[in-house]
Amino acid sequence: MAISKRVKNALEGASWVRKMFEEGEALKRIYGEDNVFDFSLGNPNLEPPASLKKALKTLADQPISGMHRYMPNSGYSETRKAIAQYIAEESDLPFEEKHIVMTVGAAGGLNVVFKALLDERDEVIVPSPYFMEFKFYIENCGGEIRLVETYEDFSLNLKAIEDAIGDRTKAILINSPNNPTGTIYDQESFRQLGDLLKRKTKELGKTLYLITDEAYRRIVFDQIKLPIPFLYYPHAIRVTSHSKDLSLPGERIGYIAVSPLCEEFDELISAIVFANRTLGFVNAPALMQRLVAPLQKNSINIREYEEKRNLFYNALKAYGYDIVKPQGAFYLFPKAPIEDEVAFVKELQSKRILTVPGRGFGKPGYFRIAYAVEKKTIEGSLPGFKEIAEKYGMGRR
Ligand SMILES: Cc1ncc(COP(=O)(O)O)c(C=O)c1O
């Protein structure tokens, strides 16, 4: 076999999320769909807004001439303008169409940004626990991931970030709300991070970029106001998508927004558009660009996720699970009661409950629960979680 060594290594460390998802599918064939409680994959169960489906039908019935043709690599002007206007209102910064590039989801967007920025062996700092795909996206573009631990409550450890910044650092990637922890980094963390990056940019005599993965930016609970990273650092690039907020992950529609305050903006945006083209995306899906343009202020009903968070978190807490309360996204990341969380995940599996070991996110000793599922799946799993908690004496500790 002549596949690349890099891909061979990556395949050998197969994704825990996919592995658990596949085990779940096997269990479902044995016990039936309703008797397996599958929390392995972050796949939104809610349907997209009705207005989007209506607009889709209108487009199919009354097609616009040329609507399936090639377009500028950055995307349709009307969509980019709508997004720019939305971010300009939100941030009070002079965002315009030229600051936005439409992408094939947030995943496509991240690959594009890394391709545009990274030279061989440039480092991207990533706080851990983290979404494992980041490593592959960075390596796709010749870069290296540099992991930095967060505190026990998963908040940013600015000292550890400072210590990790060196000559090879090109960027820091911040994912908030976070997968797998559901943590939202607060304004003060962004302010301090911005100050640190400004200071280090001066010290090192080169620009460091703040890349934010905001794929879950609308999925925020407890009326928390999500900080806007653009306000704390000029060289900031937002990558996001409508996979979660409009429940469109299969449609692959997202965007990159580059701060108007970024120095050498023209060169950077040209590099981003070039990377979008030459990575073979060419442009983001045409139909979806048209459909999401008027929906910039819309989202699926976030309260449904919040109710599920409350139900699940309160129950697990009452059984004695050690969990940091998530403030957004749709994940819980409890500590396993034993060191070997893979063994613990197997115990849960004996109750037909599927979760993902924390080592799949760079954090052994924990496990991830993705709860973008039907309420009855959560309710059905609770007796199993309780039995396992009792077995390990969790409530008594
Ligand atoms: C943190 C994070 N970033 C990016 C993505 C990819 O999102 P998209 O479907 O928009 O490519 C995901 C998907 O689960 C994610 O969890």
Side-chain angles (χ1 to χ4, degrees):
M1 183 71 84
I3 66 170
S4 92
K5 290 189 198 76
R6 181 179 276 173
V7 173
K8 196 164 166 50
N9 288 340
L11 289 177
E12 274 160 11
S15 154
W16 275 102
V17 176
R18 283 281 156 187
K19 188 167 146 56
M20 298 313 291
F21 178 70
E22 277 153 27
E23 290 193 16
E25 293 303 296
L27 283 179
K28 283 175 199 168
R29 281 194 291 276
I30 302 171
Y31 296 102
E33 187 94 19
D34 287 348
N35 298 311
V36 177
F37 311 109
D38 187 353
F39 306 111
S40 60
L41 203 62
N43 201 1
N45 68 308
L46 303 179
E47 286 297 317
S51 58
L52 183 135
K53 291 190 179 179
K54 204 168 145 218
L56 181 61
K57 193 161 184 306
T58 308
L59 264 183
D61 290 343
Q62 297 152 36
I64 300 166
S65 167
M67 69 187 239
H68 301 295
R69 292 184 194 149
Y70 286 125
M71 67 181 82
N73 299 114
S74 50
Y76 285 131
S77 174
E78 71 178 65
T79 314
R80 295 162 61 217
K81 266 190 198 143
I83 292 171
Q85 192 184 341
Y86 164 73
I87 308 181
E89 278 173 27
E90 177 193 68
S91 65
D92 232 353
L93 291 172
F95 274 92
E96 295 172 30
E97 173 185 345
K98 67 177 181 183
H99 300 105
I100 311 296
V101 175
M102 301 308 298
T103 62
V104 176
L110 286 168
N111 275 280
V112 165
V113 170
F114 294 139
K115 180 84 183 169
L117 289 181
L118 300 180
D119 281 312
E120 285 297 308
R121 302 199 62 230
D122 276 351
E123 283 183 354
V124 180
I125 293 174
V126 176
S128 175
Y130 70 107
F131 178 52
M132 269 286 189
E133 302 296 273
F134 290 159
K135 178 174 184 304
F136 302 118
Y137 302 163
I138 293 165
E139 289 174 357
N140 281 344
C141 304
E144 289 179 17
I145 192 165
R146 174 82 184 252
L147 295 175
V148 168
E149 284 298 308
T150 49
Y151 287 117
E152 273 280 294
D153 64 356
F154 304 127
S155 60
L156 290 183
N157 182 339
L158 270 302
K159 172 77 175 64
I161 293 174
E162 173 158 11
D163 290 346
I165 297 176
D167 288 340
R168 284 168 54 200
T169 310
K170 193 67 185 261
I172 177 163
L173 172 60
I174 299 288
N175 169 218
S176 176
N178 184 269
N179 176 9
T181 64
T183 303
I184 290 174
Y185 307 122
D186 62 12
Q187 272 192 34
E188 185 52 24
S189 301
F190 275 104
R191 196 185 59 72
Q192 287 183 20
L193 180 63
D195 290 349
L196 170 64
L197 292 176
K198 282 178 209 160
R199 182 156 54 78
K200 285 287 176 184
T201 289
K202 263 206 200 116
E203 258 175 54
L204 295 168
K206 65 172 192 178
T207 304
L208 299 173
Y209 289 91
L210 169 61
I211 306 166
T212 55
D213 174 337
E214 303 187 40
Y216 299 91
R217 63 189 312 281
R218 294 262 179 77
I219 307 181
V220 170
F221 311 140
D222 307 320
Q223 291 169 328
I224 289 176
K225 216 168 164 284
L226 194 71
I228 298 166
F230 292 123
L231 301 179
Y232 303 95
Y233 189 62
H235 311 294
I237 304 173
R238 170 188 291 176
V239 182
T240 186
S241 75
H242 294 298
S243 294
K244 322 287 173 176
D245 60 14
L246 296 176
S247 264
L248 293 170
E251 301 299 347
R252 316 303 307 129
I253 183 70
Y255 66 84
I256 295 165
V258 178
S259 172
L261 308 179
C262 221
E263 275 167 27
E264 297 171 11
F265 168 82
D266 290 336
E267 194 177 35
L268 176 58
I269 209 80
S270 301
I272 286 175
V273 174
F274 171 82
N276 206 28
R277 186 184 100 216
T278 56
L279 282 171
F281 298 122
V282 183
N283 55 254
L287 205 51
M288 284 300 134
Q289 290 196 45
R290 288 198 194 278
L291 294 178
V292 301
L295 295 180
Q296 288 308 306
K297 290 184 179 163
N298 292 51
S299 54
I300 37 87
N301 183 6
I302 305 303
R303 299 288 76 80
E304 284 201 35
Y305 287 133
E306 186 163 4
E307 280 165 25
K308 286 171 189 168
R309 189 270 321 244
N310 292 344
L311 168 70
F312 222 157
Y313 172 80
N314 291 338
L316 295 189
K317 204 68 191 158
Y319 305 154
Y321 285 85
D322 184 354
I323 323 177
V324 176
K325 190 173 188 178
Q327 301 154 309
F330 36 59
Y331 305 104
L332 292 163
F333 200 61
K335 203 171 193 163
I338 50 174
E339 216 174 287
D340 182 358
E341 92 284 6
V342 175
F344 186 73
V345 161
K346 283 253 176 292
E347 283 271 3
L348 289 172
Q349 222 170 315
S350 73
K351 303 286 172 203
R352 301 189 305 282
I353 297 172
L354 292 153
T355 59
V356 181
R359 65 194 61 189
F361 306 94
K363 191 81 176 164
Y366 290 73
F367 61 102
R368 190 191 77 170
I369 299 172
Y371 62 83
V373 297
E374 299 290 327
K375 191 172 166 204
K376 68 173 194 289
T377 309
I378 299 174
E379 286 168 342
S381 73
L382 294 180
F385 274 111
K386 187 160 186 261
E387 271 177 57
I388 299 283
E390 281 164 1
K391 179 171 169 186
Y392 283 92
M394 289 166 80
R396 294 197 299 277
R397 284 176 308 142

